[in-house]
Structure formats: structure tokens, C-alpha cells
Amino acid sequence: MRLGIAETLGALNAALGPGGPVWFKETRARHLRVRDFLAPRRALQARFGDDQVPERVVHAIVGLQGPGVAPVLSCAPTPAGLALQLRRSAVFERVLGAVAAYAAPTVPAALGPRVVLHCPALRGSPCALRLSQLRAVLVADHLARVLHAHRVSVRLVPAVRDPHMPTFLQQLRVDWPAASERAATEALRSRALAELTPARNTEALPPGALGRVCLKELVDERGRTTGYDPNLDSCLVTEDLLAVLAELQQAVQNWAEDSSLGLAAAPDAGADSCMVVHVVSCEEEFQQQKLDLLWWKLDDQAPLRQKHLVCGPVKVAGAPGTLTAPEYYEFRHAQVCKASALKHGRDLAQDPAWMEIFRVLPVATIKFEMLSTAPQSQLLLALADSSISTKGTKSGTFVMYNCARLATLFESYKCSMERGLYPTFPPVSNLDFSLLHDEHPSPPQGEWLLLFNSVLPFPDLLSQTAALPCTAPGLHITARTEMVCKFLVQLSMDFSSYYNRVHILGVSAQQKGICGGVQGKQRMRPAGPFLSSRSLDHTCLVKCLPVCSFCGLCVKCSTPGWPCWVSLH
């Protein structure tokens, strides 16, 4: 079983006896010099009074064992509180021995509710797509990927019908179904006609409208306390609106097995086991609330759980007029081409070897911008050329820059290994982890910072991003898309610092020409385990192992839960 931060914290808190959680995980490099977890002094005083923590409790903490619990090296009182350090060499061995498990999300113990993700913005054409609607589309796509990674059965609505929308979505690397045939609306139309309120003599209905349905009773019954707008009193029923309801109704009633992922609904799956999440821009929310209530009014089998994930407005600093989504893409694409021309001294936009890169980079920039702020908050976009610079550390460009560093590092090692300049990396089981004896480095080893702050917490991060509050009261829910972006920024900062400080691909014996008297022609074969063949204080390929194992897997296999722009092939 893989080691887990949550499991370790749970065991540590349980060892202190009854009461709330006390321990927390350290993240800062200066604290990791001396400890990995801390139980603050004030919290311990509240638990045990002014007396010290009983010796038997400390001994129990040092001997902690259990599924997912990391092995403990020491636990001792300090002025800050009870400081605990893990047996880092043992943690390295456990993690690197099964590193693929740490790049995958936790599989839930039981099937959760089926989820219909509804994104109304996809019913239009790309040229009419506002930036707030583009944000809703990217949030919906991100949620679909994360939920699929957690084995949640997901249906995507609507199937796009505009002939230009599939091409634009393909540009954005958004995977969304295309329409085949329209769902039948006859039953809904008959019910709507029976529910119509008498038309006023002065009211002229627009073409395609059947009449108005009163929603006030539903608002009074379930709307006011849950977040529905109290001004909702009626809805103009049109053929287009019935078509929208019919498609949602079909998605819930005809839930077929997802053969592409092997996901199936629970045997007793009905409307009650399904949750519909409407991912809408703030401009679309009022109309979507009408649609929710109308669905309940016309369909007795409509899901009881309908939630709104409302994306906040998108403001563009210094932009004249209103940018559409395609214009925004073209603007970012032009910036990337311009930046490349300035760097390389020539225009590479028409070079076949670069065209795919120039298609991917603006999409990566756009996705990071749209997802790095909590969806419900207002988003302010900066269009200046500096927004795609690698000089800052908070942008998607900085993350991609470090992805490129990693890709170059892996490729350099592979090529050099094929030429015999580096040995083939041995199996992890052959490495001597006992050489990781310096438990109090100052500053802390970069490998430990990367493993403890990035590799170990990653499965928990994926679980948190997929946690939709299904049973929470109220109409609105939130999604934590920004968590993945913040994680990637911090990972990039830690790796960049490590990369700048440590010469990962050191000079091999072959390159020096001193391996067994053979100068540069024979592959080095260490007598013992490779890890013990060199001091870990010197430049060594081993220093890159945690980063290579973790990030290499994610970049190579496009681990679900990471936004698709992470996988830049």
C-alpha cells in the first residue's frame, strides 16, 4: 500500500488520544531542515495541560505502524512543540519502489453518484463564445477528466451541433461529444401545454413559443432557501427550450455503460442516484435556474439533485471592446509566435517542426489562466507580452518552461546512455538506500522537498479536486480547479531551484576516460549497487530520480487529473 500524508496525520492524531486534530505537515524548506510534522505547543497544552506529553505517548508515536503510515525516525519536544521526523531513506525506498501508484488517484471504495455535466455555453457557435463562457467550458472539461480519473460515471451535455464548434474544441484540446440525433420532445410538449398559464390579451408570443408556465409555486416550495432567485415567477416555453430539456432527460434516463473507460452505473441507479451539475457563466445563471424549475415542473422523474457551478466574470485589462474566445486564442497564438521569433531570430510559425508546438502553447497558457483562479471568483486577464514570459513564477509559461527542462533532461540522459556515456539505470530494488544517512541536512535535500511536498501529497490532491459536494444543502457548489495549478507552480519552483543548484547529469567515468582503463568506449558497470557507487553529496543522476520517476510518468502517460496541457509531447 502506498504511503499517504492523510493516513500518517490520522495515525499521529489518534496516538495523542481523544480530541481534535493537532498535527500538521511542514512544507517550508527551513522547517524541513529539522522536522517533517509538528504538533504545536499551544495545542498540546490544551490537550494535556501544562504537563509535558506523556512519555508513553511519545514512544507510541515513534513506533507507529499501519496501512499508509510513513515510518517514524524520531519524535521529541521542542520550543515550537512536538517535532517529528520520518525515516527518509525508508520513505524514498517505499515510494520509488512503487512510484506509479503515487501518480494515480485514489480509487473510491464505493461507487459515487452518476454525474451529468451540463455546459450550456456549448450550444452556440465559437464566434459568439464570450470569455466567461470559455471559462465555463474549460472548467467543465477539467471536471470531466478529474471525475473520470476517479472512476465516476460521467455524461456530457449538450452534444455540440454547431459545425464549427468541434474544430474549435479540438484546438483547445477539449474532448466533448458531437450530436447525432435530437431527443424526442413530444412528452414534454404535451405536459407543457397542459401547464400553460392563460395568455394576456396584450402579450404577443414570439415565433416558436408555446406560452408561459408559472414557476412561482416551485420557487416558494424549494427555491428561496436554497439560492434560487426570488424574482423567478414564470418561464417562456419555446421549442428550443424543450429540446434542451429533452437532451438532459435523455442523459439521465438512458444511462449507458461507458465502453471507452469501462465505467458503469450502480445496478440500482435511478434518477435519485444521479446529480446534474450545470456549469454556467454568471450571465447564464438566471436562465439556467428557470430551466431547472421547468424540468421539475414538466418531468416527475427529473433528478432531485441539480447543482449550479457558476463561473465568475472575466475582465480583460486594457482590451478595447469585447474579446471572443477565438479572438483570444488567436491573440495568444500570435504572442507565442512573436516571442519565438525574438528568441530564435527568425519566424518559425510556418516551420512544420514547430507548428504543433505553436498550437499547443497558447492553449496551455489559456487553460492555466482560466483554471488558476477559483471558478466562482472574478478573473482578470492581462494581455501584455509579459504575461507569457518565463521570468515570473506564477504563470503557466513558467510551468511549461520547467516541463521542457525535464523533457530535455530525460532526453539527454537517454541519448547519452545509448552512446555509453551513462549506465542503464538499475532497478530500484538494487539501490542502497542506507546511504541516505544525513537526516538533518541544511538546507534540506532537494530530493526530499520534491518527494515530501509533491509526490506524496499528489493522490490526496487529486481526490480533493474531484470532491463535488453532492449532499451539501443549497443550489450552488464550487470546484477547486486552482488547486492543481497552485500545486504545479510550487512543484515548478521547487524543481527550478533544485535544477539551478544541482548538476543532475554529472560527468560520468566514461566522459573522463578513466573507467577500467577504457577511454569513452565501454559502458560503466559499477561493482555494487549504483546508489552506493557515488556519494550523494556529489552531482549524480540519482539526485534526479524522484523527479524523473514522478514527473516522467505524468508527462509520458498523461495522468488523469492533471489538466491536459501538462502533457506536452
Side-chain angles (χ1 to χ4, degrees), residues 262-323:
L263 302 179
D268 58 346
D272 290 347
S273 67
C274 171
M275 180 173 71
V276 180
V277 178
H278 305 284
V279 185
V280 296
S281 65
C282 51
E283 300 92 343
E284 298 167 321
E285 185 190 9
F286 186 76
Q287 180 62 25
Q288 187 57 52
Q289 289 188 15
K290 286 185 178 182
L291 187 71
D292 289 7
L293 295 171
L294 184 64
W295 192 2
W296 277 321
K297 186 87 171 181
L298 303 184
D299 183 4
D300 296 331
Q301 300 300 315
L304 297 177
R305 286 182 290 180
Q306 294 191 56
K307 299 289 186 180
H308 286 213
L309 200 166
V310 182
C311 296
V314 178
K315 306 293 184 182
V316 182
T322 303
L323 272 180

Short mmCIF file of all heavy atoms in Angstrom, two decimals, residues 262-323:
data_model
loop_
_atom_site.label_atom_id
_atom_site.label_comp_id
_atom_site.label_asym_id
_atom_site.label_seq_id
_atom_site.Cartn_x
_atom_site.Cartn_y
_atom_site.Cartn_z
N GLY A 262 -14.87 1.71 -19.43
CA GLY A 262 -15.31 0.57 -18.65
C GLY A 262 -16.05 0.97 -17.40
O GLY A 262 -16.04 0.26 -16.40
N LEU A 263 -16.70 2.12 -17.42
CA LEU A 263 -17.43 2.59 -16.24
C LEU A 263 -18.90 2.27 -16.39
O LEU A 263 -19.48 2.46 -17.44
CB LEU A 263 -17.26 4.10 -16.07
CG LEU A 263 -15.82 4.60 -15.94
CD1 LEU A 263 -15.81 6.11 -15.82
CD2 LEU A 263 -15.16 3.98 -14.73
N ALA A 264 -19.52 1.83 -15.33
CA ALA A 264 -20.94 1.52 -15.37
C ALA A 264 -21.60 2.07 -14.13
O ALA A 264 -20.99 2.21 -13.07
CB ALA A 264 -21.16 0.01 -15.44
N ALA A 265 -22.86 2.40 -14.25
CA ALA A 265 -23.61 2.90 -13.11
C ALA A 265 -23.93 1.74 -12.17
O ALA A 265 -23.87 0.57 -12.53
CB ALA A 265 -24.90 3.56 -13.59
N ALA A 266 -24.28 2.07 -10.95
CA ALA A 266 -24.67 1.06 -9.98
C ALA A 266 -25.92 0.36 -10.46
O ALA A 266 -26.74 0.92 -11.18
CB ALA A 266 -24.90 1.72 -8.63
N PRO A 267 -26.14 -0.93 -10.08
CA PRO A 267 -27.29 -1.68 -10.56
C PRO A 267 -28.62 -1.01 -10.26
O PRO A 267 -29.56 -1.12 -11.03
CB PRO A 267 -27.15 -3.02 -9.83
CG PRO A 267 -25.71 -3.12 -9.46
CD PRO A 267 -25.25 -1.74 -9.23
N ASP A 268 -28.72 -0.35 -9.11
CA ASP A 268 -29.99 0.26 -8.74
C ASP A 268 -30.04 1.74 -9.12
O ASP A 268 -30.77 2.53 -8.54
CB ASP A 268 -30.22 0.14 -7.23
CG ASP A 268 -29.10 0.78 -6.42
OD1 ASP A 268 -28.05 1.07 -7.03
OD2 ASP A 268 -29.30 0.99 -5.21
N ALA A 269 -29.21 2.13 -10.13
CA ALA A 269 -29.12 3.54 -10.49
C ALA A 269 -30.43 4.03 -11.06
O ALA A 269 -30.97 3.50 -12.01
CB ALA A 269 -28.00 3.74 -11.51
N GLY A 270 -30.94 5.08 -10.45
CA GLY A 270 -32.13 5.75 -10.94
C GLY A 270 -31.90 7.24 -10.91
O GLY A 270 -30.78 7.71 -10.72
N ALA A 271 -32.98 8.01 -11.09
CA ALA A 271 -32.83 9.46 -11.10
C ALA A 271 -32.29 9.97 -9.77
O ALA A 271 -31.56 10.95 -9.73
CB ALA A 271 -34.18 10.11 -11.41
N ASP A 272 -32.63 9.29 -8.67
CA ASP A 272 -32.19 9.75 -7.36
C ASP A 272 -30.69 9.56 -7.15
O ASP A 272 -30.09 10.21 -6.29
CB ASP A 272 -32.95 9.01 -6.25
CG ASP A 272 -34.41 9.43 -6.19
OD1 ASP A 272 -34.75 10.44 -6.83
OD2 ASP A 272 -35.21 8.74 -5.53
N SER A 273 -30.07 8.62 -7.90
CA SER A 273 -28.64 8.39 -7.74
C SER A 273 -27.82 9.23 -8.71
O SER A 273 -26.62 9.03 -8.84
CB SER A 273 -28.32 6.91 -7.96
OG SER A 273 -28.55 6.56 -9.31
N CYS A 274 -28.47 10.15 -9.38
CA CYS A 274 -27.80 10.98 -10.38
C CYS A 274 -27.78 12.43 -9.91
O CYS A 274 -28.75 12.93 -9.33
CB CYS A 274 -28.54 10.86 -11.71
SG CYS A 274 -27.97 12.01 -12.98
N MET A 275 -26.68 13.10 -10.16
CA MET A 275 -26.58 14.52 -9.87
C MET A 275 -26.27 15.26 -11.16
O MET A 275 -25.39 14.86 -11.92
CB MET A 275 -25.49 14.80 -8.84
CG MET A 275 -25.35 16.28 -8.51
SD MET A 275 -24.20 16.63 -7.15
CE MET A 275 -22.64 16.27 -7.93
N VAL A 276 -27.01 16.32 -11.40
CA VAL A 276 -26.77 17.15 -12.58
C VAL A 276 -26.04 18.41 -12.13
O VAL A 276 -26.50 19.12 -11.23
CB VAL A 276 -28.10 17.53 -13.28
CG1 VAL A 276 -27.81 18.39 -14.51
CG2 VAL A 276 -28.86 16.28 -13.68
N VAL A 277 -24.90 18.65 -12.74
CA VAL A 277 -24.11 19.85 -12.43
C VAL A 277 -24.14 20.76 -13.66
O VAL A 277 -23.63 20.40 -14.72
CB VAL A 277 -22.66 19.49 -12.06
CG1 VAL A 277 -21.86 20.76 -11.79
CG2 VAL A 277 -22.62 18.58 -10.85
N HIS A 278 -24.76 21.91 -13.51
CA HIS A 278 -24.82 22.89 -14.59
C HIS A 278 -23.63 23.84 -14.42
O HIS A 278 -23.57 24.61 -13.46
CB HIS A 278 -26.13 23.69 -14.54
CG HIS A 278 -27.36 22.84 -14.56
ND1 HIS A 278 -27.84 22.23 -15.71
CD2 HIS A 278 -28.22 22.47 -13.57
CE1 HIS A 278 -28.94 21.56 -15.43
NE2 HIS A 278 -29.19 21.68 -14.15
N VAL A 279 -22.68 23.76 -15.34
CA VAL A 279 -21.50 24.64 -15.30
C VAL A 279 -21.81 25.83 -16.20
O VAL A 279 -21.82 25.71 -17.43
CB VAL A 279 -20.24 23.91 -15.77
CG1 VAL A 279 -19.00 24.81 -15.60
CG2 VAL A 279 -20.05 22.60 -15.01
N VAL A 280 -22.09 26.97 -15.58
CA VAL A 280 -22.60 28.13 -16.34
C VAL A 280 -21.77 29.37 -16.03
O VAL A 280 -21.16 29.48 -14.97
CB VAL A 280 -24.08 28.40 -16.02
CG1 VAL A 280 -24.95 27.24 -16.45
CG2 VAL A 280 -24.28 28.69 -14.53
N SER A 281 -21.77 30.30 -16.97
CA SER A 281 -21.20 31.62 -16.69
C SER A 281 -22.20 32.41 -15.86
O SER A 281 -23.39 32.08 -15.79
CB SER A 281 -20.91 32.35 -18.01
OG SER A 281 -22.12 32.62 -18.70
N CYS A 282 -21.72 33.46 -15.23
CA CYS A 282 -22.60 34.25 -14.37
C CYS A 282 -23.74 34.88 -15.16
O CYS A 282 -24.83 35.09 -14.63
CB CYS A 282 -21.80 35.32 -13.63
SG CYS A 282 -20.75 36.35 -14.69
N GLU A 283 -23.52 35.15 -16.47
CA GLU A 283 -24.57 35.74 -17.29
C GLU A 283 -25.68 34.73 -17.61
O GLU A 283 -26.81 35.13 -17.90
CB GLU A 283 -24.00 36.28 -18.61
CG GLU A 283 -22.95 37.37 -18.45
CD GLU A 283 -21.53 36.84 -18.40
OE1 GLU A 283 -21.37 35.63 -18.16
OE2 GLU A 283 -20.59 37.61 -18.60
N GLU A 284 -25.37 33.45 -17.55
CA GLU A 284 -26.34 32.41 -17.92
C GLU A 284 -27.11 31.85 -16.73
O GLU A 284 -28.04 31.07 -16.92
CB GLU A 284 -25.61 31.25 -18.62
CG GLU A 284 -24.91 31.62 -19.92
CD GLU A 284 -23.96 30.53 -20.39
OE1 GLU A 284 -23.28 29.92 -19.54
OE2 GLU A 284 -23.90 30.29 -21.60
N GLU A 285 -26.72 32.25 -15.52
CA GLU A 285 -27.28 31.56 -14.35
C GLU A 285 -28.79 31.76 -14.20
O GLU A 285 -29.52 30.81 -13.90
CB GLU A 285 -26.58 32.04 -13.07
CG GLU A 285 -27.05 31.27 -11.85
CD GLU A 285 -26.58 31.86 -10.54
OE1 GLU A 285 -26.03 32.97 -10.55
OE2 GLU A 285 -26.79 31.20 -9.52
N PHE A 286 -29.29 32.97 -14.43
CA PHE A 286 -30.71 33.23 -14.22
C PHE A 286 -31.55 32.35 -15.16
O PHE A 286 -32.55 31.73 -14.74
CB PHE A 286 -31.02 34.71 -14.46
CG PHE A 286 -32.42 35.10 -14.14
CD1 PHE A 286 -32.84 35.27 -12.83
CD2 PHE A 286 -33.35 35.32 -15.16
CE1 PHE A 286 -34.15 35.63 -12.53
CE2 PHE A 286 -34.66 35.68 -14.87
CZ PHE A 286 -35.05 35.84 -13.55
N GLN A 287 -31.14 32.27 -16.42
CA GLN A 287 -31.87 31.44 -17.38
C GLN A 287 -31.79 29.97 -17.01
O GLN A 287 -32.75 29.21 -17.16
CB GLN A 287 -31.32 31.66 -18.79
CG GLN A 287 -32.00 30.86 -19.89
CD GLN A 287 -33.48 31.20 -20.05
OE1 GLN A 287 -33.91 32.31 -19.71
NE2 GLN A 287 -34.25 30.26 -20.57
N GLN A 288 -30.63 29.55 -16.47
CA GLN A 288 -30.48 28.15 -16.08
C GLN A 288 -31.35 27.80 -14.88
O GLN A 288 -31.87 26.69 -14.79
CB GLN A 288 -29.01 27.84 -15.77
CG GLN A 288 -28.72 26.37 -15.52
CD GLN A 288 -29.13 25.50 -16.69
OE1 GLN A 288 -28.75 25.77 -17.83
NE2 GLN A 288 -29.89 24.46 -16.42
N GLN A 289 -31.55 28.74 -13.98
CA GLN A 289 -32.45 28.50 -12.86
C GLN A 289 -33.88 28.27 -13.36
O GLN A 289 -34.60 27.40 -12.85
CB GLN A 289 -32.41 29.68 -11.89
CG GLN A 289 -31.12 29.77 -11.10
CD GLN A 289 -31.18 30.83 -10.01
OE1 GLN A 289 -32.25 31.32 -9.65
NE2 GLN A 289 -30.02 31.21 -9.49
N LYS A 290 -34.29 29.04 -14.36
CA LYS A 290 -35.61 28.82 -14.97
C LYS A 290 -35.71 27.40 -15.54
O LYS A 290 -36.73 26.71 -15.37
CB LYS A 290 -35.86 29.83 -16.09
CG LYS A 290 -36.17 31.24 -15.64
CD LYS A 290 -36.52 32.09 -16.86
CE LYS A 290 -36.88 33.51 -16.46
NZ LYS A 290 -37.27 34.33 -17.63
N LEU A 291 -34.64 26.98 -16.21
CA LEU A 291 -34.64 25.66 -16.83
C LEU A 291 -34.74 24.55 -15.78
O LEU A 291 -35.48 23.57 -15.97
CB LEU A 291 -33.36 25.48 -17.66
CG LEU A 291 -33.28 24.22 -18.52
CD1 LEU A 291 -34.25 24.31 -19.68
CD2 LEU A 291 -31.86 24.00 -19.03
N ASP A 292 -34.03 24.71 -14.66
CA ASP A 292 -34.11 23.72 -13.58
C ASP A 292 -35.55 23.54 -13.11
O ASP A 292 -36.08 22.42 -13.01
CB ASP A 292 -33.27 24.17 -12.38
CG ASP A 292 -31.79 24.08 -12.65
OD1 ASP A 292 -31.42 23.80 -13.79
OD2 ASP A 292 -31.01 24.28 -11.71
N LEU A 293 -36.17 24.66 -12.79
CA LEU A 293 -37.53 24.62 -12.25
C LEU A 293 -38.53 24.09 -13.28
O LEU A 293 -39.45 23.34 -12.93
CB LEU A 293 -37.94 26.01 -11.77
CG LEU A 293 -37.12 26.56 -10.60
CD1 LEU A 293 -37.44 28.03 -10.35
CD2 LEU A 293 -37.34 25.75 -9.33
N LEU A 294 -38.32 24.46 -14.53
CA LEU A 294 -39.21 23.96 -15.58
C LEU A 294 -39.06 22.45 -15.73
O LEU A 294 -40.06 21.74 -15.95
CB LEU A 294 -38.89 24.66 -16.91
CG LEU A 294 -39.81 24.31 -18.08
CD1 LEU A 294 -41.25 24.76 -17.81
CD2 LEU A 294 -39.30 24.93 -19.39
N TRP A 295 -37.85 21.93 -15.59
CA TRP A 295 -37.63 20.48 -15.68
C TRP A 295 -38.41 19.77 -14.58
O TRP A 295 -39.08 18.77 -14.81
CB TRP A 295 -36.13 20.20 -15.57
CG TRP A 295 -35.73 18.79 -15.93
CD1 TRP A 295 -36.55 17.79 -16.37
CD2 TRP A 295 -34.41 18.24 -15.91
NE1 TRP A 295 -35.83 16.64 -16.60
CE2 TRP A 295 -34.52 16.89 -16.33
CE3 TRP A 295 -33.17 18.75 -15.56
CZ2 TRP A 295 -33.40 16.06 -16.41
CZ3 TRP A 295 -32.06 17.93 -15.65
CH2 TRP A 295 -32.18 16.60 -16.07
N TRP A 296 -38.32 20.28 -13.36
CA TRP A 296 -39.10 19.69 -12.26
C TRP A 296 -40.61 19.80 -12.52
O TRP A 296 -41.38 18.92 -12.16
CB TRP A 296 -38.76 20.38 -10.94
CG TRP A 296 -37.52 19.85 -10.29
CD1 TRP A 296 -37.12 18.55 -10.23
CD2 TRP A 296 -36.53 20.60 -9.61
NE1 TRP A 296 -35.93 18.43 -9.55
CE2 TRP A 296 -35.54 19.69 -9.15
CE3 TRP A 296 -36.36 21.96 -9.34
CZ2 TRP A 296 -34.42 20.09 -8.43
CZ3 TRP A 296 -35.24 22.35 -8.61
CH2 TRP A 296 -34.28 21.43 -8.17
N LYS A 297 -41.01 20.87 -13.15
CA LYS A 297 -42.44 21.10 -13.40
C LYS A 297 -42.98 20.13 -14.43
O LYS A 297 -44.12 19.63 -14.32
CB LYS A 297 -42.62 22.54 -13.90
CG LYS A 297 -44.06 22.99 -14.08
CD LYS A 297 -44.63 23.55 -12.81
CE LYS A 297 -45.98 24.20 -13.03
NZ LYS A 297 -46.54 24.78 -11.78
N LEU A 298 -42.18 19.80 -15.46
CA LEU A 298 -42.67 19.01 -16.59
C LEU A 298 -42.29 17.54 -16.52
O LEU A 298 -42.82 16.74 -17.30
CB LEU A 298 -42.14 19.60 -17.91
CG LEU A 298 -42.45 21.07 -18.20
CD1 LEU A 298 -41.93 21.44 -19.57
CD2 LEU A 298 -43.94 21.34 -18.09
N ASP A 299 -41.38 17.17 -15.63
CA ASP A 299 -40.89 15.79 -15.60
C ASP A 299 -40.86 15.29 -14.16
O ASP A 299 -40.05 15.75 -13.35
CB ASP A 299 -39.48 15.73 -16.22
CG ASP A 299 -38.94 14.30 -16.29
OD1 ASP A 299 -39.68 13.35 -15.94
OD2 ASP A 299 -37.76 14.14 -16.69
N ASP A 300 -41.73 14.34 -13.85
CA ASP A 300 -41.79 13.79 -12.49
C ASP A 300 -40.54 12.99 -12.13
O ASP A 300 -40.27 12.74 -10.96
CB ASP A 300 -43.02 12.90 -12.32
CG ASP A 300 -44.32 13.69 -12.47
OD1 ASP A 300 -44.30 14.91 -12.16
OD2 ASP A 300 -45.33 13.11 -12.92
N GLN A 301 -39.78 12.57 -13.16
CA GLN A 301 -38.58 11.77 -12.93
C GLN A 301 -37.30 12.62 -12.97
O GLN A 301 -36.20 12.07 -13.01
CB GLN A 301 -38.47 10.66 -14.00
CG GLN A 301 -39.65 9.71 -14.01
CD GLN A 301 -39.81 8.99 -12.67
OE1 GLN A 301 -38.83 8.52 -12.10
NE2 GLN A 301 -41.04 8.90 -12.19
N ALA A 302 -37.44 13.92 -12.97
CA ALA A 302 -36.25 14.79 -13.00
C ALA A 302 -35.42 14.57 -11.74
O ALA A 302 -35.96 14.36 -10.66
CB ALA A 302 -36.68 16.25 -13.11
N PRO A 303 -34.08 14.60 -11.86
CA PRO A 303 -33.22 14.38 -10.68
C PRO A 303 -33.50 15.40 -9.59
O PRO A 303 -33.71 16.59 -9.86
CB PRO A 303 -31.80 14.55 -11.24
CG PRO A 303 -31.93 14.33 -12.71
CD PRO A 303 -33.30 14.81 -13.08
N LEU A 304 -33.52 14.93 -8.37
CA LEU A 304 -33.76 15.83 -7.24
C LEU A 304 -32.55 16.71 -6.98
O LEU A 304 -32.68 17.80 -6.40
CB LEU A 304 -34.09 15.02 -5.99
CG LEU A 304 -35.38 14.18 -6.07
CD1 LEU A 304 -35.54 13.37 -4.78
CD2 LEU A 304 -36.58 15.07 -6.30
N ARG A 305 -31.37 16.23 -7.37
CA ARG A 305 -30.14 17.00 -7.12
C ARG A 305 -29.68 17.68 -8.40
O ARG A 305 -29.15 17.04 -9.31
CB ARG A 305 -29.05 16.09 -6.59
CG ARG A 305 -29.25 15.69 -5.14
CD ARG A 305 -28.11 14.83 -4.64
NE ARG A 305 -28.09 13.52 -5.26
CZ ARG A 305 -27.19 12.58 -5.00
NH1 ARG A 305 -26.23 12.83 -4.13
NH2 ARG A 305 -27.26 11.40 -5.57
N GLN A 306 -29.93 18.97 -8.48
CA GLN A 306 -29.39 19.80 -9.54
C GLN A 306 -28.56 20.89 -8.88
O GLN A 306 -29.05 21.61 -8.02
CB GLN A 306 -30.49 20.41 -10.39
CG GLN A 306 -31.30 19.40 -11.19
CD GLN A 306 -32.19 20.09 -12.21
OE1 GLN A 306 -31.72 20.85 -13.05
NE2 GLN A 306 -33.49 19.82 -12.13
N LYS A 307 -27.31 20.98 -9.28
CA LYS A 307 -26.39 21.94 -8.68
C LYS A 307 -25.85 22.88 -9.76
O LYS A 307 -25.70 22.50 -10.92
CB LYS A 307 -25.21 21.22 -8.01
CG LYS A 307 -25.61 20.28 -6.88
CD LYS A 307 -26.10 21.03 -5.66
CE LYS A 307 -26.36 20.09 -4.49
NZ LYS A 307 -26.83 20.81 -3.28
N HIS A 308 -25.57 24.11 -9.35
CA HIS A 308 -25.01 25.11 -10.26
C HIS A 308 -23.58 25.43 -9.86
O HIS A 308 -23.32 25.80 -8.70
CB HIS A 308 -25.84 26.39 -10.20
CG HIS A 308 -27.14 26.29 -10.90
ND1 HIS A 308 -27.73 27.34 -11.56
CD2 HIS A 308 -27.99 25.25 -11.06
CE1 HIS A 308 -28.89 26.96 -12.08
NE2 HIS A 308 -29.06 25.69 -11.78
N LEU A 309 -22.67 25.27 -10.80
CA LEU A 309 -21.30 25.74 -10.63
C LEU A 309 -21.19 26.99 -11.49
O LEU A 309 -21.06 26.92 -12.72
CB LEU A 309 -20.30 24.67 -11.05
CG LEU A 309 -18.88 24.79 -10.51
CD1 LEU A 309 -18.11 23.49 -10.74
CD2 LEU A 309 -18.10 25.94 -11.12
N VAL A 310 -21.25 28.14 -10.85
CA VAL A 310 -21.30 29.41 -11.57
C VAL A 310 -19.90 29.98 -11.67
O VAL A 310 -19.23 30.21 -10.65
CB VAL A 310 -22.23 30.41 -10.86
CG1 VAL A 310 -22.30 31.72 -11.65
CG2 VAL A 310 -23.62 29.82 -10.70
N CYS A 311 -19.44 30.21 -12.90
CA CYS A 311 -18.11 30.79 -13.13
C CYS A 311 -18.22 32.31 -13.13
O CYS A 311 -19.09 32.88 -13.80
CB CYS A 311 -17.54 30.30 -14.46
SG CYS A 311 -17.25 28.52 -14.50
N GLY A 312 -17.35 32.96 -12.39
CA GLY A 312 -17.38 34.41 -12.26
C GLY A 312 -17.02 35.11 -13.55
O GLY A 312 -16.57 34.50 -14.53
N PRO A 313 -17.19 36.43 -13.59
CA PRO A 313 -16.92 37.19 -14.81
C PRO A 313 -15.43 37.20 -15.15
O PRO A 313 -14.57 37.04 -14.28
CB PRO A 313 -17.42 38.59 -14.47
CG PRO A 313 -17.35 38.67 -12.98
CD PRO A 313 -17.65 37.29 -12.48
N VAL A 314 -15.13 37.40 -16.43
CA VAL A 314 -13.75 37.51 -16.90
C VAL A 314 -13.55 38.93 -17.42
O VAL A 314 -14.23 39.36 -18.36
CB VAL A 314 -13.45 36.49 -18.02
CG1 VAL A 314 -12.02 36.67 -18.53
CG2 VAL A 314 -13.66 35.07 -17.51
N LYS A 315 -12.64 39.65 -16.80
CA LYS A 315 -12.31 41.01 -17.20
C LYS A 315 -10.95 41.01 -17.87
O LYS A 315 -10.03 40.32 -17.44
CB LYS A 315 -12.30 41.95 -15.99
CG LYS A 315 -13.58 41.93 -15.15
CD LYS A 315 -14.76 42.50 -15.93
CE LYS A 315 -16.01 42.55 -15.05
NZ LYS A 315 -17.19 43.06 -15.80
N VAL A 316 -10.82 41.81 -18.92
CA VAL A 316 -9.56 41.89 -19.67
C VAL A 316 -8.98 43.28 -19.47
O VAL A 316 -9.62 44.27 -19.83
CB VAL A 316 -9.77 41.59 -21.16
CG1 VAL A 316 -8.44 41.64 -21.89
CG2 VAL A 316 -10.44 40.24 -21.34
N ALA A 317 -7.79 43.34 -18.90
CA ALA A 317 -7.15 44.63 -18.63
C ALA A 317 -6.68 45.26 -19.93
O ALA A 317 -5.92 44.66 -20.70
CB ALA A 317 -5.98 44.44 -17.68
N GLY A 318 -7.15 46.47 -20.18
CA GLY A 318 -6.67 47.25 -21.32
C GLY A 318 -7.12 46.77 -22.67
O GLY A 318 -6.52 47.14 -23.69
N ALA A 319 -8.16 45.95 -22.73
CA ALA A 319 -8.63 45.45 -24.03
C ALA A 319 -9.81 46.29 -24.50
O ALA A 319 -10.79 46.45 -23.78
CB ALA A 319 -9.05 43.99 -23.93
N PRO A 320 -9.75 46.83 -25.71
CA PRO A 320 -10.89 47.59 -26.22
C PRO A 320 -12.00 46.66 -26.64
O PRO A 320 -11.77 45.62 -27.28
CB PRO A 320 -10.30 48.32 -27.43
CG PRO A 320 -9.16 47.46 -27.88
CD PRO A 320 -8.62 46.79 -26.64
N GLY A 321 -13.23 46.98 -26.29
CA GLY A 321 -14.36 46.16 -26.71
C GLY A 321 -14.40 44.84 -25.98
O GLY A 321 -13.85 44.67 -24.90
N THR A 322 -15.05 43.86 -26.61
CA THR A 322 -15.22 42.54 -26.02
C THR A 322 -14.52 41.50 -26.87
O THR A 322 -14.82 41.35 -28.06
CB THR A 322 -16.71 42.19 -25.91
OG1 THR A 322 -17.38 43.20 -25.15
CG2 THR A 322 -16.90 40.86 -25.23
N LEU A 323 -13.60 40.78 -26.26
CA LEU A 323 -12.90 39.70 -26.96
C LEU A 323 -13.77 38.45 -26.98
O LEU A 323 -14.34 38.06 -25.97
CB LEU A 323 -11.60 39.37 -26.26
CG LEU A 323 -10.33 40.15 -26.64
CD1 LEU A 323 -9.17 39.64 -25.80
CD2 LEU A 323 -10.00 40.00 -28.11
#
